[in-house]
């Protein structure tokens, strides 16, 4: 199974492509989509949409794993990220890709085994699980790889609810 992990944003969107078969996980590619500062929101959203479609066309993933939004203190930033996330969901849908959503707690639980793990622990486990010499950079790309691994591991779990579910939190 090939999974596209996405760490949503508006200025920087992390992506990670992971091939998984049983307990074997191979990082195919990762990086970020960046939109230029001081441009209109609509221009940034258009670029995110176009770049997402290009990623999907280039790598042909079987599923997309996207982080659910977590509003901490900055509601204004959260709203902008929500716009970007909506465009990402639309691009995946238009491309016919199944989308699965996970909370940060679920990603940490799946990758590290502890839902309150520190970011450094998640990055270290991404490196180990994918047998990499060092964690992916930048952090947004590493987070996206963790999201891809989360879905790959969750979809092989006995708790997985099946193929007919388009959008779920497991």
């Amino acid at each position: 199974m090939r999974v596209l992990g996405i760490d949503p944003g508006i200025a920087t969107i992390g992506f990670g492509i992971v091939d998984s078969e049983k307990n074997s996980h191979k990082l195919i590619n990762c990086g970020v989509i960046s939109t230029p500062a001081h441009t209109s929101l609509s221009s940034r959203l258009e670029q995110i949409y176009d770049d997402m479609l290009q990623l999907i066309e280039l790598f042909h993933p079987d599923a997309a794993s996207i982080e659910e939004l977590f509003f901490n203190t900055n509601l204004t930033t959260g709203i902008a990220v929500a716009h970007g996330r909506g465009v990402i969901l639309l691009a995946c849908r238009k491309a016919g890709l199944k989308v699965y959503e996970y909370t940060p707690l679920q990603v940490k639980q799946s990758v590290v085994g502890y839902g309150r793990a520190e970011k450094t622990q998640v990055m270290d486990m991404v490196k180990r699980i994918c047998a990499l010499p060092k964690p992916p950079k930048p952090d947004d790309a590493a987070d996206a790889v963790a999201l891809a691994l989360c879905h790959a591991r969750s979809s092989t779990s006995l708790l997985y609810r099946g193929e007919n579910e388009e959008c779920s939190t497991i």
Side-chain angles (χ1 to χ4, degrees), residues 42-53:
S42 58
S43 293
R44 290 177 127 178
L45 295 175
E46 179 181 32
Q47 181 182 345
I48 293 167
Y49 181 82
D50 291 344
D51 288 355
M52 285 303 305
L53 289 179

Side-chain angles (χ1 to χ4, degrees), residues 7-145:
D7 182 27
I10 195 71
T12 306
I13 299 89
F15 71 87
I17 313 288
V18 173
D19 279 349
S20 294
E21 189 172 326
K22 296 185 182 177
N23 285 333
S24 175
H25 307 286
K26 180 181 177 188
L27 177 62
I28 302 303
N29 200 338
C30 68
V32 295
I33 296 169
S34 298
T35 62
H38 310 297
T39 57
S40 68
L41 177 62
S42 58
S43 293
R44 290 177 127 178
L45 295 175
E46 179 181 32
Q47 181 182 345
I48 293 167
Y49 181 82
D50 291 344
D51 288 355
M52 285 303 305
L53 289 179
Q54 189 175 13
L55 271 175
I56 294 166
E57 185 177 317
L58 182 63
F59 290 104
H60 304 288
D62 300 306
S65 175
I66 301 175
E67 186 174 65
E68 286 188 359
L69 288 184
F70 173 74
F71 289 100
N72 194 5
T73 55
N74 192 342
L75 188 59
T76 304
T77 301
I79 291 170
V81 171
H83 286 303
R85 188 173 180 280
V87 166
I88 292 165
L89 291 170
L90 176 63
C92 291
R93 176 74 179 182
K94 286 291 202 179
L97 196 57
K98 290 193 178 220
V99 176
Y100 300 87
E101 301 173 79
Y102 298 93
T103 65
L105 188 93
Q106 289 170 310
V107 174
K108 292 174 182 180
Q109 179 67 42
S110 176
V111 175
V112 178
Y114 176 58
R116 303 278 183 223
E118 297 292 325
K119 191 172 197 73
T120 56
Q121 292 172 293
V122 175
M123 298 307 102
D124 184 57
M125 286 306 295
V126 165
K127 179 185 88 163
R128 290 174 187 226
I129 292 167
C130 293
L132 302 172
K134 57 186 176 182
K137 291 287 181 188
D139 287 353
D140 300 292
D143 290 344
V145 174

